[in-house]
Amino acid sequence: MPASNRLTWIAAVGVLLVCALAPVGVAKTNRKADKLIAQVKAAEARKEWDKALELAEQALSLDPANISYQLTATRVRFEVAQFHIDRGKKLRGQGQLAEALADFEKAYAINPASSMAEDEARRTRGMIERNAKKPDMPAEEKALTPAQISRKESEAKFATMLPLPELKPLNSQAITLKMNNQPPKVLFETLGKLAGINVLFDPDFVTPGAGKPQSIEFNGTTLEESLDYLAMVTKSFWKPLSGNAIFVTQDNPAKRRDFEEQIVKVFYLQNVTKAQELQEIVTALRTVAEIQKVFTYQAQNAVIARAEADKIALAEKIVADLDKPRSEVVVDILVMQVSKNKTLNLAAAVAPTGINSPISFTPRSGISIPTSSTGSTGTTTTTTTTTTTTTTTGSTGSSVALSNVGRISTGDFSLTVPGGLLEAMLSDSNTKVLQSPQVRAVDGEKVSLKIGSRQPIASGSFQPGIGGVGINPLVNTQFTFIDVGVIVDMTPKIHGPDEVSLHLEVEISNISNFVNLGGIDQPVIATSKIVNDVRLRQGEVNLLGGLMQKQDTKSTTGVPGLSSIPILGHLFSSDTITTNDSEFVLAIIPHIMRSPDLTDVNLRGIAAGNSTTVKLNYAPRKQAPADAATAPAPASTAPLPGNPAPGTTGVPLTPPRTAPATLVPGLPFVPGGAPVPQAGEPPPDVKPPSAPLETIAAGDVRVMFTPADANVPLNQPITVNLVVENAVDLFSAPLTVKFDPKILRLNDVVQGELLGKDGQKVVFSKNVLNDQGEATIALNRFPGAAGVTAQGGATLVTLVFQAVGRGDTTVTLPQFTLRNAKGQAITAAVPQLTVRVK
């Protein structure tokens, strides 16, 4: 091979190798990038976001122009940035602000387009600077953002907003009080002292002539009821200022507008589904509760109202009565349709359908005129010659030349002879349709059920353009779709738990056949529709259908005249007998799933004041059960029920019954029962001692009658002192004395020096019932004073009896309690007095 040829061949081989190896290198690069992309997906599945981003960046660096690699890298970059943002928020919530800031900054470095990463990083830097400036900040607030701290402060402020003050009297027992011819101010003050509450008056209320003296008597009423009674007879208005204080003023529109408290309340409705329902409730509040400032917030189904306390309470009652789940009913619908069609065809005749034989003109070829001719040319090519062939075809029509009219004969006409038919055919078809749909509906809401198909029907056509020569105009046909099948529209109205009214519209349709109209097959739809209103009981079956139809059709076709010949006429006619039977039944069965949940509280009427003022009254609240330390001791069997046996240290702690008040000379007013503080609650305005009280053990405090035994003749007085020894911080001593009215009569009860030994006034009341052999006595130091201490012996009360009958009897204290300034019971043995009358 010459040298030049050899060099040319080597150059050609080199070019081929380069061309062959270049694609191989690219393929290797793409395969490596694809492998990295697969590793990216695996790292994403394992939540290894940083590794996934590193692999995606490597794949993109191998082929930066690859769109798929670009999309993968962008997506992973966004996911990794979001991961660091979420982790930074979690670390910041745990108080690790430096680590959180590092995550936010990394997220921003990965995805600089993330405004969230930038905002969180800036917010975290501000928190770090704030904590550095305020090292004494509570630890739980250091991890809070400024917005979270502000929200927390707002929530704490909201939590400190107080509701309407609720009166909590020191003495919660029923009030028995009688006062004669006293001014309103004295009446309210007396009632307040009896219950242990403070009474404040409007300056206009205490002016001279502000109220006429009134006489009142309460027997077993609560404090709120007593205050309402006083307010009514004195034409006054009172409101609580705190748990132990009330404010009293005249009852008129101006004073109520100035002093009556208003409440803002948000009602969250749970069962409202429409804006109309929400608006109807608002209308009811404006009309019935007379609340003018009321608004709706449909996004939360909420109603915001601002009004007086009683109006808001009435609104709460109305909303609770109206905001109830609506009743629901499930209706079973049974659709039953039976159709039976029978057809009988009988024919044994010549021309059974009559004679309809047209005579056709078929002229012979000799007298007819050829109407057209066609020719075709074919070409055949061989190696040496080319041959062309032409073929001509002619056809003969029914046209005849005028010169050949005389040659027309019967041979130029043709006739079809009718044939005979022998037919005996019976067709019998049965159709049954059974459908049982079930629908559930809410009270008053329409529900629709459609079972079937939508059938297109041509409703019109239009021509958008004008056709020219050789161009067909375009015609468009419009179609309307109608529902075919079972269509049920139902609107229920539920009456209580047992009955429901239904407005029903039931339509059952099907395609019976098709009719060609304008070249389009239009369906013929058979329809049965029922519109009915019915009231049914739970589970009751009602038949809405029951339509039966029977149709018999007989048709005869044949040769006129010949078909009417008796007997022989059957040879020239045919008979068709058709019988159609159909029956349609629709059954409705309702089942009430939820009925109105109305309780006795919803159905009960409540007192709501008069035409100008809304005022609600409340029954006494149930007292919480006392704990074991202050629970009343069980009744003893000797010597009287409720009194411990002699020598025991247990004392029944049942609060005493209050007695009617008695006006005592030297005191402005004396309530019938001293306020009895509850266990663990200090009286109002009472300052506790600076040092804790000494614990009083059983047996340290002694209570005794002096003398303990008395022997007196008939009709002689008996004076007995009730003495208390070693009592510390003694504040009150309510007691009940029980004696035999056939032997003793209690003529007088005199306050002892014990509770008033320091010069403080003592609220003293007594109620002596000699016919029942019982006396109720209450001694109580005025609120604000401290208790007294009796290291030796001091008289609590002096009882003056008179012997009215002979015999032996025992005077007991079935209810007796010593209490300190904090209202705590002081344990002491209950004494007894033995009296012998000669």
Side-chain angles (χ1 to χ4, degrees):
M1 180 179 296
S4 59
N5 292 342
R6 186 182 298 111
L7 293 176
T8 304
W9 181 83
I10 293 174
V13 172
V15 172
L16 292 176
L17 289 176
V18 170
C19 295
L21 292 178
V24 174
V26 174
K28 288 183 179 180
T29 303
N30 289 342
R31 284 199 298 269
K32 184 176 180 180
D34 291 339
K35 184 177 180 181
L36 291 173
I37 294 299
Q39 294 177 4
V40 168
K41 295 180 180 179
E44 287 180 321
R46 295 190 301 268
K47 307 299 181 183
E48 298 175 355
W49 300 109
D50 291 331
K51 183 178 180 180
L53 178 59
E54 181 182 356
L55 295 172
E57 295 290 350
Q58 292 179 10
L60 182 61
S61 64
L62 294 176
D63 190 2
N66 192 307
I67 299 299
S68 176
Y69 300 161
Q70 293 178 5
L71 294 176
T72 301
T74 302
R75 176 179 55 80
V76 174
R77 194 177 294 114
F78 173 80
E79 292 176 349
V80 175
Q82 188 63 38
F83 164 73
H84 284 286
I85 291 174
D86 296 339
R87 190 172 69 174
K89 290 181 178 179
K90 184 177 181 181
L91 292 173
R92 187 175 62 189
Q94 297 173 355
Q96 303 177 24
L97 300 184
E99 293 81 354
L101 179 59
D103 267 321
F104 293 140
E105 291 177 344
K106 187 173 182 180
Y108 182 73
I110 293 173
N111 186 13
S114 176
S115 59
M116 182 182 295
E118 183 180 4
D119 295 339
E120 296 296 341
R122 182 174 59 253
R123 188 177 294 115
T124 306
R125 291 193 196 96
M127 293 172 61
I128 294 174
E129 296 175 357
R130 178 199 63 191
N131 296 346
K133 294 179 181 179
K134 298 179 180 180
D136 57 342
M137 179 179 290
E140 62 273 9
E141 293 186 3
K142 291 183 177 180
L144 300 180
T145 64
Q148 291 173 335
I149 292 178
S150 177
R151 190 179 302 112
K152 182 179 179 181
E153 292 175 352
S154 299
E155 292 176 354
K157 183 178 179 181
F158 299 155
T160 59
M161 292 181 179
L162 297 177
L164 187 73
E166 182 179 357
L167 199 58
K168 296 180 180 179
L170 200 61
N171 183 9
S172 59
Q173 302 302 315
I175 295 176
T176 301
L177 178 65
K178 181 178 181 181
M179 287 183 288
N180 296 321
N181 199 27
Q182 297 295 325
K185 181 176 181 297
V186 175
L187 296 178
F188 277 103
E189 286 179 339
T190 303
L191 188 60
K193 293 300 182 182
L194 181 62
I197 63 173
N198 300 319
V199 182
L200 304 178
F201 295 94
D202 182 18
D204 297 337
F205 186 81
V206 296
T207 55
K212 297 181 180 180
Q214 300 286 342
S215 298
I216 58 98
E217 182 176 0
F218 300 134
N219 293 308
T221 60
T222 63
L223 175 61
E224 288 81 2
E225 291 174 340
S226 302
L227 291 173
D228 290 340
Y229 298 159
L230 279 181
M232 179 178 293
V233 298
T234 61
K235 298 185 184 320
S236 305
F237 156 65
W238 69 274
K239 71 170 185 176
L241 297 178
S242 63
N244 62 346
I246 63 172
F247 176 81
V248 182
T249 185
Q250 290 96 348
D251 189 6
N252 55 58
K255 292 296 183 181
R256 282 189 173 271
R257 183 174 56 251
D258 294 340
F259 294 107
E260 194 167 12
E261 293 286 344
Q262 291 200 345
I263 298 177
V264 175
K265 177 78 174 182
V266 180
F267 302 93
Y268 293 96
L269 309 180
Q270 300 180 355
N271 301 292
V272 171
T273 57
K274 296 181 178 180
Q276 178 184 356
E277 298 174 1
L278 193 64
Q279 193 61 41
E280 289 177 353
I281 291 180
V282 170
T283 302
L285 297 183
R286 286 180 177 150
T287 306
V288 179
E290 298 181 356
I291 300 177
Q292 301 302 322
K293 298 178 181 179
V294 56
F295 305 93
T296 62
Y297 183 59
Q298 296 182 5
Q300 295 290 337
N301 280 342
V303 176
I304 306 104
R306 182 176 185 265
E308 293 78 9
D310 285 329
K311 291 182 179 181
I312 292 295
L314 180 59
E316 289 178 343
K317 175 70 167 55
I318 295 174
V319 171
D321 292 344
L322 298 181
D323 186 25
K324 291 184 176 295
R326 299 173 65 180
S327 304
E328 295 184 34
V329 62
V330 171
V331 179
D332 293 329
I333 303 175
L334 301 180
V335 181
M336 295 166 285
Q337 185 176 7
V338 178
S339 299
K340 184 177 182 180
N341 299 322
K342 182 183 291 185
T343 302
L344 178 62
N345 294 328
L346 297 176
V350 176
T353 60
I355 298 176
N356 185 12
S357 299
I359 300 175
S360 302
F361 178 60
T362 55
R364 292 164 291 170
S365 59
I367 63 174
S368 63
I369 300 175
T371 57
S372 62
S373 61
T374 59
S376 60
T377 303
T379 302
T380 303
T381 305
T382 60
T383 305
T384 56
T385 60
T386 299
T387 303
T388 300
T389 305
T390 300
T391 304
T392 301
T393 303
S395 63
T396 304
S398 59
S399 300
V400 179
L402 292 178
S403 58
N404 294 331
V405 171
R407 299 172 57 188
I408 296 175
S409 65
T410 57
D412 296 324
F413 296 90
S414 60
L415 175 67
T416 302
V417 179
L421 175 66
L422 178 61
E423 182 182 38
M425 183 176 63
L426 175 64
S427 175
D428 191 354
S429 63
N430 294 322
T431 303
K432 296 182 180 179
V433 178
L434 177 61
Q435 294 177 332
S436 57
Q438 186 181 74
V439 293
R440 180 166 181 163
V442 179
D443 183 28
E445 295 293 333
K446 181 180 179 180
V447 61
S448 298
L449 174 67
K450 298 180 181 180
I451 302 175
S453 60
R454 295 177 62 85
Q455 180 66 34
I457 294 180
S459 59
S461 61
F462 66 93
Q463 182 175 333
I466 301 176
V469 179
I471 301 176
N472 293 326
L474 180 63
V475 178
N476 291 338
T477 303
Q478 297 176 337
F479 289 89
T480 301
F481 288 83
I482 63 172
D483 296 314
V484 177
V486 178
I487 303 174
V488 179
D489 292 333
M490 178 181 66
T491 305
K493 181 63 179 177
I494 299 173
H495 311 283
D498 298 325
E499 292 190 356
V500 58
S501 295
L502 297 175
H503 174 75
L504 287 168
E505 296 183 10
V506 182
E507 180 178 344
I508 301 175
S509 58
N510 63 310
I511 300 176
S512 59
N513 53 31
F514 289 87
V515 177
N516 189 286
L517 299 175
I520 300 176
D521 289 336
Q522 296 277 51
V524 177
I525 299 176
T527 303
S528 299
K529 187 173 183 179
I530 298 176
V531 179
N532 191 22
D533 289 282
V534 63
R535 181 164 178 165
L536 302 173
R537 294 184 63 83
Q538 164 88 359
E540 183 179 355
V541 180
N542 182 64
L543 298 178
L544 296 181
L547 178 63
M548 301 179 63
Q549 182 179 3
K550 185 175 182 180
Q551 181 178 0
D552 294 333
T553 304
K554 182 179 181 181
S555 60
T556 301
T557 59
V559 179
L562 297 179
S563 61
S564 301
I565 300 175
I567 301 176
L568 295 178
H570 292 292
L571 298 177
F572 302 97
S573 64
S574 65
D575 295 331
T576 302
I577 301 174
T578 304
T579 302
N580 296 326
D581 292 336
S582 63
E583 182 176 1
F584 174 78
V585 178
L586 182 67
I588 302 295
I589 309 173
H591 305 280
I592 298 176
M593 305 303 296
R594 179 185 289 120
S595 59
D597 183 18
L598 301 178
T599 63
D600 57 339
V601 177
N602 302 133
L603 301 175
R604 184 178 60 199
I606 60 173
N610 52 40
S611 60
T612 59
T613 304
V614 175
K615 180 68 175 68
L616 302 183
N617 301 314
Y618 299 91
R621 296 177 176 86
K622 295 182 179 180
Q623 298 296 326
D627 53 5
T630 59
S636 175
T637 58
L640 290 175
N643 192 35
T648 63
T649 60
V651 181
L653 303 181
T654 305
R657 288 172 292 176
T658 56
T662 305
L663 295 178
V664 179
L667 294 177
F669 60 92
V670 178
V676 181
Q678 298 298 314
E681 296 182 1
D685 303 329
V686 175
K687 298 180 180 180
S690 57
L693 295 177
E694 179 184 357
T695 302
I696 303 174
D700 292 342
V701 180
R702 296 181 57 195
V703 181
M704 65 193 76
F705 282 113
T706 58
D709 296 322
N711 297 318
V712 296
L714 185 65
N715 295 326
Q716 291 297 319
I718 307 169
T719 301
V720 181
N721 295 325
L722 185 61
V723 179
V724 179
E725 292 183 354
N726 302 330
V728 178
D729 193 31
L730 180 62
F731 188 85
S732 63
L735 64 133
T736 300
V737 181
K738 191 73 175 178
F739 56 91
D740 188 353
K742 297 180 180 180
I743 299 177
L744 297 177
R745 177 182 180 84
L746 183 59
N747 291 335
D748 196 7
V749 179
V750 181
Q751 174 188 335
E753 74 279 6
L754 176 57
L755 291 181
K757 60 185 302 185
D758 57 352
Q760 291 286 342
K761 290 184 178 181
V762 179
V763 179
F764 171 68
S765 64
K766 59 184 178 179
N767 182 28
V768 180
L769 303 175
N770 281 308
D771 294 339
Q772 302 178 11
E774 183 177 281
T776 302
I777 306 168
L779 298 99
N780 189 82
R781 290 171 64 82
F782 265 69
V788 298
T789 300
Q791 295 294 342
T795 301
L796 179 66
V797 67
T798 299
L799 306 176
V800 180
F801 292 98
Q802 183 177 2
V804 295
R806 291 184 174 86
D808 297 341
T809 184
T810 302
V811 178
T812 62
L813 305 177
Q815 295 180 349
F816 176 65
T817 305
L818 300 177
R819 295 185 181 273
N820 59 21
K822 291 184 177 181
Q824 299 172 342
I826 301 175
T827 305
V830 180
Q832 294 183 357
L833 171 65
T834 302
V835 179
R836 298 180 182 88
V837 180
K838 299 179 182 178

